[in-house]
Amino acid sequence: MPVATQLVISGQSKPGALARVTAVLGEAGVNIKAFSAPEVTGAGKLRLLVADLEGARAALRSAKIKFGEETALLLSLENKPGALRKVAELLMKSRINIKCGYCTPSREGKRALVVLTVSNTDKALTILRNQSLDEF
């Protein structure tokens, strides 16, 4: 199962916050493959999967945008009711917490691309290894 380094930018939820980050990455030629930007009482965490991790790091540092990094699991599941439930239950039974998750259907609509950060990545990889987890 593929894993990726996900960039995490914490900050206030305000007009222009996402525009600034996307401008910096766009000007550096870095493609954003996936993102999540939930808000929690005026603050939020922007999570990004990018095509060029080193380029994104350099661009964000140059723009003085603080960021962290975390390992994310990348799953390709059937786009049907219950597919995510199976993964969530396997992780629950192994006492692995899902800290963050987001997804989008594939272009064809038959698969769902799921991004998860979990409390124990190595254990989750072992447990989910037999699932249909295609490269993202």
Side-chain angles (χ1 to χ4, degrees):
M1 164 189 355
V3 295
T5 299
Q6 181 168 251
L7 300 172
V8 183
I9 301 169
S10 298
Q12 279 190 304
S13 178
K14 62 182 181 182
L18 181 61
R20 179 172 181 235
V21 171
T22 57
V24 165
L25 295 176
E27 289 169 12
V30 176
N31 187 39
I32 298 170
K33 295 170 67 175
F35 82 97
S36 171
E39 177 186 21
V40 181
T41 318
K45 285 191 177 185
L46 173 61
R47 287 180 163 87
L48 300 156
L49 288 178
V50 295
D52 177 4
L53 183 59
E54 290 303 321
R57 286 173 175 150
L60 293 171
R61 285 185 185 119
S62 177
K64 296 185 178 17
I65 297 174
K66 294 180 182 179
F67 64 94
E69 298 182 7
E70 61 189 10
T71 301
L73 304 177
L74 307 177
L75 295 77
S76 175
L77 305 176
E78 282 188 80
N79 192 9
K80 68 176 189 176
L84 184 57
R85 176 184 178 184
K86 182 178 178 182
V87 171
E89 286 179 346
L90 284 168
L91 295 174
M92 176 194 67
K93 288 176 184 174
S94 296
R95 304 188 57 76
I96 297 172
N97 185 41
I98 298 172
K99 299 190 295 185
C100 175
Y102 52 99
C103 70
T104 186
S106 65
R107 290 183 192 149
E108 304 82 31
K110 295 180 181 182
R111 309 289 295 171
L113 305 174
V114 179
V115 180
L116 297 176
T117 55
V118 297
S119 59
N120 188 330
T121 303
D122 292 335
K123 188 174 179 183
L125 285 168
T126 300
I127 290 159
L128 298 175
R129 186 162 284 131
N130 294 330
Q131 303 304 307
S132 178
L133 308 170
D134 303 331
E135 190 156 342
F136 182 60

